[in-house]
DNA sequence: AGTAGTTTTTGATCCATATCAAATAATCGC
DNA sequence: GCGATTATTTGATATGGATCAAAAACTACT
């Protein structure tokens, strides 16, 4: 019963029971991939056709604005990452994804995911439950972005991204928060 | 085949085919409710146990901060509204919901929704698809809130909430955007 | 219709944070 | 390990929007 996909299976099982047929389909459709630090998991030039479950490592979803790279969010071990609208609606979008550390992923093609959705109704349930959680995070992020000082934004960030905070360069955190790196640097300095 | 629930049925059918049994369950579980302008659909004092599909009207999801009411978002005809985390996790949360106009809703209890999720797998699919759309809106909102001037925030708001913008008092829009009403008033004045 | 309450506008001032500039520190490739 | 590139810190200045205050314009209730 042992599989290299164990971490992924465990993840699924916190939301739905994994039947043997579903397990087998995942087994046959998921491909293990590795990315060196700095490598792109997805380039905004293309439509996003695959989703990655991160087994080890850290990635950044970002886009360009006025020649600067803005972090949209970060994903680490145990999370899926893709360019959401591009992946779900198979159209271009502004986001690229790169590895901030050497990263290993379980990679699923959109056509395979569609197959799974069509043949395993529990995948819809899985999706509903995980999206519900993301939903809550989004609301919190939006709230923490209005009526807050730069310092409060940073403190909220530290509480949410507690364990990966120190793995991220300052400039990327600043652009995630919508503040300049100079301001963030001063906030860090003052205590 | 005519039902007072027709608008709701039509909404569902843009995402999933509605089987007769599901239709009947909805028929028997959904209750029509009316709220006068100013009335609360949900009070933050309680756990949110019902979700409303708005047939006619306009509501606001808001919370209190420093004695002021902050708008989290607005919902109008053809949308579901509840206090998301409170409703989904059956715990208290900060949000209340009030009617900004006289409002008619189709009201579904959380226990009935759970019943539907447990007996009609297509409800999971419905939920996955609709949440996916919300997801996109959230991302856009977050982006439009960083690195933008108050004016750009307002312009983005107008494009998203195009048809209900004029039905909302200025102060509520300002708190939604995270700017003061004085600033919004000046933005409106200048052109 | 008239008064009280609420919402919006207008004005004056102030402050948090952006911007610009340059020095220092860290990281990377050879 | 050493220069080159990239990231962070520090300083000086500018500014968008907050805050405070009060007038004007709406709304609603009796």
């Amino acid at each position: 019963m042992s599989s290299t996909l164990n971490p992924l299976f465990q993840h699924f099982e916190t939301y739905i029971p994994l039947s043997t047929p579903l397990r087998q389909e995942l087994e046959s459709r998921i491909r293990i991939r590795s990315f060196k630090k700095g490598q792109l998991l997805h380039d905004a030039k293309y439509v996003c056709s695959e989703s990655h479950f991160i087994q080890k490592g850290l990635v950044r979803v970002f886009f360009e604005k006025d020649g600067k790279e803005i972090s949209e969010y970060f994903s680490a071990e145990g999370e899926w990452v893709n360019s959401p609208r591009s992946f779900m609606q198979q159209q271009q979008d502004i986001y690229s994804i790169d590895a901030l550390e050497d990263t290993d992923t379980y990679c699923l093609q959109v056509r395979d995911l569609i197959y799974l959705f069509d043949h395993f109704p529990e995948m819809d349930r899985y999706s509903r439950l995980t999206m519900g959680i993301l939903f809550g995070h989004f609301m919190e992020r939006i709230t923490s972005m209005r009526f807050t000082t730069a310092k409060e934004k940073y403190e909220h960030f530290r509480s949410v991204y507690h364990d990966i905070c120190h793995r991220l360069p300052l400039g990327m955190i600043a652009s995630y928060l919508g503040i300049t790196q100079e301001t963030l640097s001063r906030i860090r300095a003052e205590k």
Side-chain angles (χ1 to χ4, degrees), chain A:
Chain A
M1 272 297 281
S2 173
S3 156
T4 47
L5 297 188
N6 265 339
L8 179 58
F9 289 162
Q10 265 177 273
H11 165 78
F12 271 110
E13 288 196 313
T14 60
Y15 299 100
I16 53 166
L18 263 192
S19 65
T20 308
L22 176 50
R23 218 175 252 265
Q24 285 167 344
E25 287 294 344
L26 288 168
E27 208 58 90
S28 78
R29 287 167 194 276
I30 280 172
R31 195 157 55 104
I32 290 176
R33 299 194 57 187
S34 285
F35 300 88
K36 283 272 156 221
K37 178 174 178 173
Q39 231 185 311
L40 287 178
L41 280 75
H42 168 68
D43 187 326
K45 277 207 285 286
Y46 309 108
V47 170
C48 182
S49 65
E50 42 195 35
S51 190
H52 296 270
F53 183 86
I54 301 171
Q55 194 258 307
K56 188 183 83 56
L58 180 60
V59 305
R60 162 182 72 144
V61 178
F62 69 99
F63 63 98
E64 280 213 18
K65 186 185 159 93
D66 310 327
K68 283 182 187 167
E69 294 180 346
I70 311 291
S71 311
E72 188 65 36
Y73 54 87
F74 309 100
S75 292
E77 289 85 5
E79 298 174 330
W80 286 100
V81 69
N82 54 48
S83 174
R85 259 175 312 192
S86 179
F87 184 73
M88 295 197 281
Q89 276 137 251
Q90 288 297 293
Q91 61 189 35
Q92 253 201 295
D93 202 354
I94 56 174
Y95 302 104
S96 293
I97 305 171
D98 67 354
L100 301 181
E101 300 172 357
D102 292 353
T103 296
D104 301 327
T105 74
Y106 303 125
C107 175
L108 185 63
Q109 298 291 319
V110 67
R111 61 169 177 279
D112 289 316
L113 182 60
I114 290 170
Y115 176 89
L116 294 174
F117 275 135
D118 285 343
H119 293 78
F120 298 91
E122 61 267 41
M123 284 295 292
D124 282 326
R125 160 111 5 153
Y126 165 78
S127 197
R128 164 169 75 82
L129 295 174
T130 50
M131 282 181 120
I133 290 169
L134 282 183
F135 201 90
H137 293 168
F138 271 114
M139 281 187 66
E140 227 184 277
R141 182 170 177 196
I142 288 171
T143 300
S144 102
M145 228 141 62
R146 294 178 301 172
F147 309 105
T148 55
T149 62
K151 190 173 171 179
E152 287 168 327
K153 288 184 181 75
Y154 178 58
E155 254 141 36
H156 179 257
F157 174 82
R158 285 209 309 180
S159 76
V160 171
Y161 278 106
H162 176 67
D163 36 353
I164 59 170
C165 192
H166 59 284
R167 292 153 72 183
L168 298 168
L170 173 140
M172 290 186 188
I173 297 176
S175 76
Y176 173 90
L177 295 175
I179 63 180
T180 59
Q181 36 179 23
E182 292 93 328
T183 298
L184 183 51
S185 174
R186 281 183 250 262
I187 287 167
R188 279 186 168 175
E190 84 189 25
K191 31 135 221 206

